[in-house]
Amino acid sequence: GTKKKAACPGLGLFYTVLSAFLFSVASLLLKKIEDVHSVEVSAFRCVFQMAFVLPGLIYYKTGFLGPKGKRIFLFFRGFLGSSAMILLYYAFQVMPLADATVITFSSPVFTSLLAWIFLKEKYSIWDLLFTLFAITGVILIARPPFLFGSNVTGIEGSYTDHLKGTIAAITSTVSAASTFVILRKMGKSVHYFLSIWYYAVIGLIGCVIALFVMNEWRLPYCGRDRVFLILIGLLGLGGQIFLTKALQIEKAGPVSIMKTMDVVFAFILQILFLNHLPTWWTVGGALCVVASSSGTAIRKWRQSLKKAKQNEI
């Protein structure tokens, strides 16, 4: 018989790096947009997601509502996931790109904590240590006045905006971690496309309502901003596709570790295109958060390998 063609070694990790680069460029373009609110950018992103997912729902005949017993989970997955996106986009607009990116990397740590609370998954002393590392990193980036004094340097704009951005980024991270817990709870009983569909539809509805309430809905005045909006949607979609492909052909542990390239790209793009040098506080916070997320990923990976060996025996 014919031999099955071997997969290209390292292809999954290459997809992860490519995904990180696309997400980072989308974040950079978001910083470059001048007259568009972050909620409106999120609405455009949701439209692109819907346009991509709709043919898949029709092809796989999944329906648009999902199984009856899973709809409440799908709703909260969509609500929390879209809220995480909106808050993250707001954080990107009001604080340094690298700072917001680093804070989001504490998501695996919060996922472990929430999984312990709601799914009764094991939470060891190592998980607690990684959580403390992540919190330390976030504090170094936020630099609250009661610890660092009132003269805080190396931030964009006012410290009030920096603090708002930090709170938004942390809330976004916790919301994203909550969606991971919900996805674990649902397992493989719900198609991946259906999960994204809820995320996009609920996100779009929420964005439209918020824009009308805030009276912020308007097309960009500049043609460049319109192009950036389209590119953000395409790059975000491309990053999601390559990350999904990476997880299909590579173990989650190595992908999670390689995804730290997001932070590297954020620092490089911030220096090259935004002329904003990160402070040593930000670098120290980044090292704490990356070490925490990488440690969590490596530990989960080793546990999965150990479990797989036990099943073989």
Side-chain angles (χ1 to χ4, degrees):
T2 57
K3 290 184 178 180
K4 187 179 180 181
K5 188 177 179 180
C8 177
L11 183 61
L13 299 182
F14 171 74
Y15 283 154
T16 308
V17 174
L18 185 57
S19 168
F21 178 73
L22 294 178
F23 280 134
S24 298
V25 175
S27 303
L28 174 66
L29 295 179
L30 181 61
K31 294 286 290 182
K32 289 288 188 179
I33 290 180
E34 297 176 355
D35 297 318
V36 183
H37 198 278
S38 58
V39 178
E40 187 171 349
V41 180
S42 303
F44 275 92
R45 171 76 183 274
C46 290
V47 170
F48 274 94
Q49 294 272 31
M50 290 173 65
F52 169 73
V53 171
L54 186 58
L57 293 178
I58 297 171
Y59 178 79
Y60 289 107
K61 300 178 181 178
T62 61
F64 295 97
L65 298 178
K68 285 186 177 181
K70 303 294 181 179
R71 289 175 188 173
I72 185 66
F73 295 114
L74 284 166
F75 172 80
F76 281 109
R77 182 267 183 270
F79 175 76
L80 292 170
S82 57
S83 298
M85 174 185 62
I86 295 168
L87 290 167
L88 180 60
Y89 281 5
Y90 174 77
F92 280 139
Q93 286 190 331
V94 299
M95 68 186 301
L97 179 64
D99 290 22
T101 303
V102 168
I103 291 175
T104 62
F105 262 79
S106 57
S107 180
V109 179
F110 286 111
T111 302
S112 298
L113 181 61
L114 292 174
W116 171 60
I117 295 172
F118 294 105
L119 301 181
K120 308 304 178 184
E121 292 186 6
K122 187 178 179 182
Y123 191 80
S124 69
I125 190 67
W126 283 106
D127 293 308
L128 177 60
L129 181 64
F130 294 144
T131 302
L132 294 176
F133 256 89
I135 292 173
T136 302
V138 172
I139 290 174
L140 290 176
I141 292 171
R143 282 167 283 166
F146 66 89
L147 289 177
F148 293 84
S150 57
N151 297 322
V152 180
T153 59
I155 62 175
E156 289 181 1
S158 66
Y159 182 75
T160 302
D161 285 340
H162 182 80
L163 190 60
K164 287 179 180 178
T166 302
I167 294 171
I170 295 172
T171 309
S172 169
T173 301
V174 175
S175 297
S178 301
T179 63
F180 288 132
V181 172
I182 292 172
L183 289 172
R184 282 189 197 177
K185 179 71 175 178
M186 290 192 297
K188 296 181 180 179
S189 60
V190 177
H191 198 278
Y192 175 74
F193 275 141
L194 195 60
S195 176
I196 300 179
W197 174 254
Y198 267 80
Y199 167 93
V201 171
I202 294 175
L204 180 60
I205 294 172
C207 287
V208 170
I209 293 172
L211 286 169
F212 276 107
V213 170
M214 297 186 297
N215 197 25
E216 288 282 352
W217 182 268
R218 62 179 181 272
L219 284 174
Y221 299 115
C222 175
R224 187 192 70 167
D225 284 353
R226 298 180 187 182
V227 174
F228 283 175
L229 274 176
I230 296 172
L231 288 176
I232 288 170
L234 292 175
L235 290 169
L237 184 57
Q240 190 68 49
I241 291 171
F242 280 114
L243 182 59
T244 303
K245 288 179 70 69
L247 289 168
Q248 287 175 342
I249 61 178
E250 186 61 77
K251 289 183 173 63
V255 170
S256 298
I257 297 168
M258 190 59 68
K259 210 177 174 309
T260 55
M261 287 299 295
D262 276 16
V263 176
V264 177
F265 287 134
F267 274 102
I268 293 173
L269 294 176
Q270 177 176 296
I271 294 170
L272 291 179
F273 296 100
L274 301 176
N275 297 319
H276 186 88
L277 288 172
T279 64
W280 286 111
W281 294 114
T282 297
V283 174
L287 290 175
C288 286
V289 172
V290 169
S292 173
S293 61
S294 299
T296 302
I298 292 171
R299 185 172 175 277
K300 297 293 183 185
W301 181 26
R302 291 184 62 182
Q303 284 180 341
S304 65
L305 292 176
K306 185 178 179 180
K307 189 175 181 180
K309 287 181 180 179
Q310 289 176 347
N311 290 335
E312 287 178 3
I313 296 173

